[in-house]
Amino acid sequence: MPAMSGGLPGFHNAPVSRAVVVAAVLFSVPFGFRGRFLDLGLSYQSIYQNLRIWRVIASQFAFSSTPELIFGVALLYYFRVFERQIGSNKYAVFIAFSMTVSVLLQILALGYLQDPSFNPLTSGPYGLIFASFVPFFFDIPISTKFRIFGLRLCDKSFIYLAGLQLLFSSGRRSVIPGLSGILAGLLYRLNIFGIRRLKVPDCATSIFSRLSWPWPNISYQRLPISSTDENIPRRQAHQMEDAHTTTLDPMESSIATLVSMGFDRASAVQALALTNNDVNLASNILLEAQ
């Protein structure tokens, strides 16, 4: 399943994503697995009649069941690729915006519907997860297409299937948080109030970088760049590109995808060779090399 890799293994260059995953696990153990008995999720009564701030915060991180925790953490782990693409400073703003807007939309939905069958809504970082499907849909290219029992699928299909599983995990009680997250992601993409220009200060994101437990930071080797590359004549450079292409023989469609993302052909060929033609992993390596 190529799309499930999400780039370089671990949380390299994704400290904020690591903090969110750790928080989800730590909240789910003492709160989430007992959430159905504690009514940890948001409900009309807990918001409009007996508001408790700690419950609102806990409901945004604690999954209420083991299957939801597994699928949720897997998706959060994959979506760390967006932190690597836009940087931890902007990704922290994306997290804060998507979770805040999602909570507000859930509260408005509860107040409008006042339907006991929705009480309580399922808990967990649904806002962040489903907001991340918006850039996943628009920004992550399809690198592989295939058929299973006559059904046409692509490498992104597995992510969508995991999202559908999480969206309907608790019936209607999980649909509202999921749809709220998607709306929050769309609002962020539309750059409401210029939100996409905002950044969290470096001093704030550096705190997450220092917190390496339980995944220590691992350094990865960047693409080798020779100091004499700029002195190679253009004709010889094209010959070297052709030689690399002939020797490594990466998929032309993969090369075209990386070139369309703004990378030069020679670097794309080399990155695909290092990653066994994995476009997502190759794009992450090229971004880090920059």
Side-chain angles (χ1 to χ4, degrees):
M1 296 184 292
M4 288 298 291
S5 64
L8 294 173
F11 288 95
H12 179 64
N13 284 351
V16 179
S17 299
R18 177 178 56 205
V20 173
V21 170
V22 171
V25 173
L26 293 180
F27 272 88
S28 296
V29 172
F31 293 107
F33 297 153
R34 299 174 56 197
R36 299 189 186 279
F37 303 100
L38 295 174
D39 291 336
L40 187 62
L42 299 180
S43 64
Y44 181 84
Q45 292 77 12
S46 65
I47 295 298
Y48 292 95
Q49 297 178 2
N50 189 20
L51 178 62
R52 294 181 180 178
I53 300 300
W54 71 266
R55 188 183 295 272
V56 175
I57 297 175
S59 69
Q60 298 309 301
F61 289 97
F63 289 100
S64 58
S65 68
T66 302
E68 293 173 6
L69 175 64
I70 294 174
F71 281 97
V73 167
L75 289 170
L76 288 172
Y77 178 76
Y78 172 80
F79 289 140
R80 75 200 188 284
V81 66
F82 298 126
E83 181 176 357
R84 292 172 175 170
Q85 289 180 350
I86 66 177
S88 299
N89 305 70
K90 286 189 174 182
Y91 189 69
V93 174
F94 172 76
I95 291 176
F97 178 84
S98 59
M99 297 186 74
T100 302
V101 172
S102 175
V103 169
L104 293 177
L105 291 175
Q106 292 177 52
I107 293 174
L108 291 175
L110 289 172
Y112 176 76
L113 296 173
Q114 298 187 22
D115 188 344
S117 64
F118 288 100
N119 292 329
L121 299 178
T122 189
S123 59
Y126 278 69
L128 172 58
I129 292 173
F130 286 95
S132 300
F133 273 99
V134 175
F136 176 74
F137 176 80
F138 287 104
D139 300 334
I140 300 297
I142 296 175
S143 59
T144 306
K145 294 182 179 181
F146 52 91
R147 288 179 177 269
I148 297 180
F149 301 115
L151 186 64
R152 298 180 63 180
L153 300 173
C154 67
D155 54 333
K156 296 175 65 174
S157 300
F158 298 102
I159 303 297
Y160 288 126
L161 290 174
L164 286 174
Q165 171 64 33
L166 192 62
L167 181 64
F168 296 105
S169 59
S170 298
R172 294 195 298 174
R173 297 192 303 110
S174 56
V175 170
I176 289 183
L179 293 180
S180 299
I182 294 174
L183 289 175
L186 289 173
L187 291 175
Y188 181 86
R189 188 169 186 85
L190 293 174
N191 198 24
I192 301 298
F193 306 120
I195 188 66
R196 299 180 68 174
R197 294 195 299 268
L198 299 181
K199 294 182 180 180
V200 172
D202 292 332
C203 58
T205 56
S206 63
I207 297 176
F208 298 108
S209 300
R210 298 190 185 99
L211 299 176
S212 60
W213 181 88
W215 292 281
N217 291 321
I218 303 174
S219 59
Y220 291 87
Q221 184 178 4
R222 293 185 176 181
L223 291 175
I225 302 175
S226 173
S227 59
T228 59
D229 284 348
E230 297 181 355
N231 299 326
I232 299 177
R234 186 178 299 274
R235 183 175 180 181
Q236 293 183 11
H238 284 297
Q239 292 176 352
M240 291 176 64
E241 285 185 23
D242 295 336
H244 279 299
T245 305
T246 303
T247 304
L248 302 175
D249 193 29
M251 294 171 55
E252 284 298 324
S253 60
S254 300
I255 299 175
T257 299
L258 292 175
V259 171
S260 67
M261 296 171 67
F263 303 112
D264 64 272
R265 181 181 176 86
S267 297
V269 171
Q270 192 172 14
L272 288 169
L274 292 173
T275 59
N276 195 23
N277 292 334
D278 188 324
V279 175
N280 293 325
L281 180 54
S283 63
N284 282 320
I285 292 179
L286 290 168
L287 285 169
E288 292 177 9
Q290 291 179 344

